Amino acid sequence: EDARPPAVTVLAVPGLPAETILDVAKDADMIVVGSRGAGGFKKLLMGSVASQVTHHAHIPVVVIPAEES
């Protein structure tokens, strides 16, 4: 038995992560993304996909933080 509710769609799509997520989610009700929690200088250089998605999405975005180890 599938654990996902029938209203959830999961896609694997190639492309630039934030741009592709926003493009594919145009008709979605919500975006859910994970966050690895990269911080400091590394985050400034590379940017954060979750941050880009939350700043540019026109629908609600839920960010699931990485577990602390």
Side-chain angles (χ1 to χ4, degrees):
E1 189 174 331
D2 195 358
R4 274 183 306 231
V8 172
T9 302
V10 178
L11 299 171
V13 182
L16 297 171
E19 182 179 313
T20 302
I21 290 168
L22 292 167
D23 186 49
V24 171
K26 286 183 293 198
D27 298 323
D29 296 321
M30 177 185 298
I31 300 171
V32 178
V33 293
S35 176
R36 293 185 304 180
F41 191 66
K42 181 178 177 183
K43 184 174 181 178
L44 288 175
L45 284 177
M46 297 178 57
S48 164
V49 172
S51 178
Q52 291 175 33
V53 170
T54 58
H55 284 94
H56 298 286
H58 298 288
I59 57 175
V61 178
V62 175
V63 179
I64 308 295
E67 291 185 13
E68 294 183 27
S69 27

